[in-house]
Amino acid sequence: MCGIIGLIASKSSPNNIEALVLGLKRMEYRGYDSAGIAFMAGNQIKTVRSKGKIASLEDKLGQSLESTKLGIGHTRWATHGDPSEINAHPHTVGKISIVHNGIIENYQELKQELIELGCEFSSETDSEVVAQLINYYYQQSDLDFVGAVRQALTRLKGAYGLAIIAEDQPDQLIVARQASPLLIGLSDHATYIASDPMAIISYTDRIIYLEDKEYAVLGAGSYQVYDFDHNLRDVTPETIELDPGQIQKSGYDHFLIKEIMEQPEAVINVLRGRIDKQNFSSHLGGLNLPDDYFRKIDRILIVACGTAYYAGLLGKYLLEKMLNIPVDVEMASEFRYRDPATSKNTLGVVYSQSGETADSLASLREMKRRGMLTLGIINTAGSTIAREVDGGIYLHAGPEISVASTKAFSSMSIATLLLGLEIGRYRQLSIERSMEVIQALGSLANDIEGVLSLDQEIKLLASKIAKFGHMMYLGRDSLYPIAIEGSHKLKEVSYIQAEAYPAGEMKHGANALLGDDLLVVFFLSNNFLYDKAKSNLAEVKARTSNILVVTDSEEQDLARGTIDVIRVKRVSDWTQGLIFNVVSQLIAYYVAVDLGRDVDQPRNLAKSVTVE
Ligand code: G6P
């Protein structure tokens, strides 16, 4: 989703334009449909924007870059108005140029007011209203640049990360934040701003995260952060650990396959130092909840979006078995506006790779408002959700660049099992069950390595699968959430319509869909439900032979009446979902490649969805 970059440097140089463009490239993974920069060229602001990829913006900028000390840039993911050059950011109006992430909810009202005051709009965006408003106030003789921005902020409703420059103030860059991430990066040569640390990690690791309702006035080497009541805040920069090397493809064709292949390492990273074999539990240093509270929890409520939500669904199957307390999972976009019943001992858990998803953040705040204690299962350290939860578990999976989430799903599920061990040992979880979980986790990295070795087999199958226009993923028990995540992954990256059902539910409606253009992917585990699931498979086989079975059973007869069988190792029931899920990931990847899709940045999708 939209990305902001900006800088104010002590010396004018073409390298500063390069830094803006590099920042935009580093945020490409978030998904976008147009991009642009605005910078001081001499004593004027120059704005260059382009629809489509950053490469076309680079074409417009030409080979010999201009020199500048001050600039802002943006990748836009269209919300209000088509993806087009005119709607792309920065929006430059009079002396003011701005970039904006988020949505200005009262933009129509403000636009009308500004039109009546004589302002002429050139785009269809909500964001242009911000530029027009600041420019309007700046023209009032009693307001300086900072004053005009302050005045405009009092009028805006909604979510925004903003960066603003003024043509006649070449020594100031102003940023503001309300419900959309924004950070300041400090280096000896320049002060950077970005909505995503990825954009600036090549230049600095000293970061100040703005909080909601804060703005900052920046110079080269100076920063003043204020709250919206204009009190100067005492902020301390923190050092973040991000290695620019981690965001390279390292020889892979796409980030998606790189991240799928990184899963054994991700497993090791999320487990590192966290298994407590002596007490059959886990060491989770960041939970920050009183021990006594673990005994009082009467319900767990998981809230998340997208793949993180499906990790939550798998979490429900795992945690209810471990803890014997009800676990509910809600999509954050629904939860935040519903009136769900919660109790004071309901533990709220937010799953999020980015830690910035707007609906998940709003749900977290709603849970806190109700007095619930909250945990985050989060990948991105320092993200807004990570900072606002009472405690949590970091995934340490490294940056996930591909829009479709893969390694974060695995790591979230492992973090769930670790959480189950910790809470469970304060309750009824037996040593025997804990040992089962600990052993399963101990061999998981190797087990995933084993599934990844099926890579070439699945690649060869991909063209067969890609011929189908529709797919149906089926599974039972914990393989049902895995079937949903499998269908989700496939549709995200291959654009093939796919859905998922519990295998036992087909006879109540979905059997009607079985036909020539539909392929069934059947997850069959040799677990306690093997015979039941085999009967469901037989029911499907009686109606179609367009079936791909994925199984940990060695039974040879399963292949009859199918297009193929993919066999995986039989592992513990606690981790089998992750094994089957890796197969789904490889299927989705190779089918998408076969169909020539934009694998890492699928159409219409964004990595970090910071608007609701
Ligand atoms: C977007 C991404 C998905 C992701 C979801 C939740 O839709 O495209 O890959 O699963 O957001 O993101 P989060 O960062 O909260 O896990």
Side-chain angles (χ1 to χ4, degrees):
M1 191 150 275
C2 305
I4 289 177
I5 173 81
L7 60 84
I8 180 158
S10 48
K11 286 200 188 110
S12 186
S13 160
N15 294 344
N16 293 326
I17 303 276
E18 229 167 53
L20 292 173
V21 174
L22 179 67
L24 295 180
K25 284 187 179 162
R26 288 272 160 83
M27 292 186 290
E28 277 194 293
Y29 77 98
R30 301 169 67 89
Y32 69 105
D33 42 52
S34 56
I37 63 171
F39 55 95
M40 285 301 296
N43 54 6
Q44 282 189 327
I45 289 180
K46 182 163 179 184
T47 309
V48 184
R49 304 181 291 181
S50 134
K51 186 182 164 186
K53 297 285 174 186
I54 289 164
S56 68
L57 177 70
E58 284 181 296
D59 285 347
K60 281 194 165 177
L61 287 166
Q63 291 286 327
S64 63
L65 296 174
E66 291 180 62
S67 242
T68 194
K69 273 167 73 167
L70 175 65
I72 52 179
H74 192 260
T75 46
R76 173 173 187 255
W77 189 82
T79 55
H80 293 64
D82 301 340
S84 65
E85 185 175 330
I86 210 84
N87 289 332
H89 300 213
H91 290 286
T92 305
V93 176
K95 289 182 176 160
I96 299 294
S97 188
I98 67 115
V99 289
H100 165 227
N101 281 1
I103 290 178
I104 304 300
E105 285 168 6
N106 59 337
Y107 85 101
Q108 267 164 326
E109 185 185 315
L110 291 171
K111 189 168 181 175
Q112 194 50 41
E113 183 183 323
L114 288 159
I115 289 172
E116 280 161 24
L117 289 166
C119 299
E120 283 177 24
F121 280 77
S122 54
S123 79
E124 304 155 89
T125 64
D126 55 328
S127 307
E128 189 187 346
V129 162
V130 182
Q132 293 276 6
L133 195 63
I134 298 172
N135 187 53
Y136 175 76
Y137 287 131
Y138 196 32
Q139 285 168 348
Q140 315 294 304
S141 53
D142 56 333
L143 288 177
D144 63 6
F145 178 36
V146 180
V149 173
R150 282 179 175 170
Q151 184 66 25
L153 293 180
T154 64
R155 305 292 315 280
L156 303 180
K157 290 195 184 135
Y160 49 84
L162 285 171
I164 311 141
I165 58 175
E167 195 161 87
D168 51 2
Q169 299 297 333
D171 299 320
Q172 277 184 335
L173 167 61
I174 303 182
V175 287
R177 168 187 169 141
Q178 168 56 29
S180 187
L182 223 128
L183 54 94
I184 301 164
L186 308 169
S187 87
D188 294 342
H189 315 290
T191 305
Y192 297 87
I193 56 109
S195 54
D196 181 333
M198 294 285 189
I200 57 174
I201 48 168
S202 299
Y203 301 101
T204 180
D205 58 359
R206 285 178 61 223
I207 300 289
I208 296 166
Y209 291 98
L210 278 196
E211 301 292 341
D212 279 351
K213 296 194 174 19
E214 281 185 352
Y215 67 94
V217 181
L218 310 171
S222 72
Y223 59 90
Q224 284 98 39
V225 178
Y226 300 90
D227 63 23
F228 277 10
D229 294 325
H230 315 307
N231 303 306
L232 191 63
R233 302 292 313 271
D234 185 15
V235 288
T236 318
E238 45 189 286
T239 304
I240 53 162
E241 287 172 24
L242 266 180
D243 170 6
Q246 288 177 312
I247 54 176
Q248 312 300 326
K249 284 189 199 145
S250 317
Y252 288 101
D253 289 343
H254 300 98
F255 283 109
L256 183 56
I257 188 68
K258 175 180 177 247
E259 287 158 9
I260 291 171
M261 293 296 174
E262 276 171 356
Q263 288 176 106
E265 199 186 323
V267 171
I268 291 166
N269 287 341
V270 68
L271 287 175
R272 185 168 292 120
R274 284 171 163 169
I275 294 289
D276 177 358
K277 283 196 177 151
Q278 222 170 7
N279 297 304
F280 311 98
S281 180
S282 57
H283 294 293
L284 296 171
L287 294 187
N288 299 333
L289 300 177
D291 295 353
D292 196 36
Y293 174 73
F294 293 131
R295 298 195 180 92
K296 289 194 203 139
I297 299 171
D298 57 17
R299 184 174 163 225
I300 294 177
L301 177 58
I302 298 172
V303 180
C305 301
T307 289
Y309 168 79
Y310 302 123
L313 275 188
L314 177 63
K316 173 182 169 71
Y317 279 78
L318 300 174
L319 289 173
E320 285 189 346
K321 269 188 198 149
M322 294 175 92
L323 305 177
N324 192 30
I325 46 180
V327 179
D328 293 311
V329 195
E330 292 244 10
M331 286 188 178
S333 54
E334 282 298 302
F335 174 81
R336 63 182 292 188
Y337 292 115
R338 257 171 30 80
D339 206 358
T342 52
S343 70
K344 89 174 180 323
N345 289 326
T346 302
L347 171 66
V349 188
V350 182
Y351 286 48
S352 178
Q353 188 287 128
S354 63
E356 299 292 354
T357 304
D359 286 321
S360 304
L361 175 60
S363 299
L364 167 66
R365 289 177 177 165
E366 176 62 17
M367 292 196 280
K368 291 183 81 171
R369 194 189 61 76
R370 288 163 177 242
M372 290 165 58
L373 289 179
T374 56
L375 292 179
I377 294 193
I378 311 285
N379 193 32
T380 309
S383 57
T384 311
I385 296 176
R387 283 179 288 132
E388 292 195 14
V389 283
D390 295 302
I393 308 175
Y394 273 131
L395 303 180
H396 304 304
E400 195 181 63
I401 308 291
S402 181
V403 165
S405 181
T406 50
K407 61 178 178 175
F409 180 93
S410 295
S411 300
M412 283 172 184
S413 307
I414 296 164
T416 306
L417 288 169
L418 292 172
L419 183 65
L421 283 173
E422 172 83 26
I423 301 178
R425 293 300 290 144
Y426 283 96
R427 302 172 68 104
Q428 59 158 42
L429 184 69
S430 67
I431 289 179
E432 191 186 355
R433 286 220 135 177
S434 305
M435 277 173 62
E436 273 172 36
V437 174
I438 290 172
Q439 269 164 14
L441 289 174
S443 61
L444 185 58
N446 273 335
D447 296 338
I448 291 184
E449 201 81 68
V451 199
L452 290 172
S453 68
L454 300 176
D455 174 56
Q456 291 307 307
E457 180 188 332
I458 294 173
K459 185 177 177 182
L460 287 175
L461 254 176
S463 57
K464 247 195 217 177
I465 300 174
K467 292 202 180 79
F468 290 92
H470 308 278
M471 292 190 37
M472 169 94 69
Y473 284 67
L474 302 179
R476 294 196 72 145
D477 194 62
S478 65
L479 294 186
Y480 170 49
I482 294 300
I484 307 180
E485 168 56 14
S487 68
H488 182 73
K489 204 58 45 210
L490 185 92
K491 62 189 134 187
E492 277 181 302
V493 297
S494 75
Y495 317 154
I496 294 178
Q497 189 265 334
E499 52 186 310
Y501 270 88
E505 179 64 17
M506 289 291 287
K507 52 192 171 292
H508 299 294
N511 269 346
L513 295 173
L514 301 177
D516 289 348
D517 196 26
L518 184 137
L519 177 69
V520 173
V521 178
F522 199 111
F523 293 143
L524 175 67
S525 173
N526 195 354
N527 62 9
F528 71 103
L529 277 176
Y530 186 50
D531 290 336
K532 302 273 177 208
K534 265 203 312 186
S535 304
N536 300 140
L537 177 60
E539 287 156 20
V540 177
K541 280 187 179 173
R543 290 161 179 87
T544 179
S545 54
N546 296 335
I547 308 169
L548 172 63
V549 176
V550 183
T551 186
D552 57 13
S553 158
E554 287 172 9
E555 210 178 306
Q556 291 309 307
D557 195 42
L558 292 172
R560 207 164 28 85
T562 70
I563 65 159
D564 219 325
V565 177
I566 298 174
R567 293 193 196 262
V568 295
K569 183 180 161 194
R570 171 95 189 105
V571 300
S572 157
D573 286 358
W574 295 108
T575 50
Q576 64 173 358
L578 298 183
I579 299 300
F580 282 79
N581 193 49
V582 174
V583 175
S584 291
Q585 295 170 346
L586 290 170
I587 291 175
Y589 174 69
Y590 284 115
V591 170
V593 171
D594 188 80
L595 292 170
R597 305 302 192 218
D598 191 350
V599 175
D600 285 330
Q601 289 160 37
R603 67 182 182 200
N604 307 331
L605 298 182
K607 180 68 181 163
S608 178
V609 182
T610 48
V611 295
E612 70 166 294

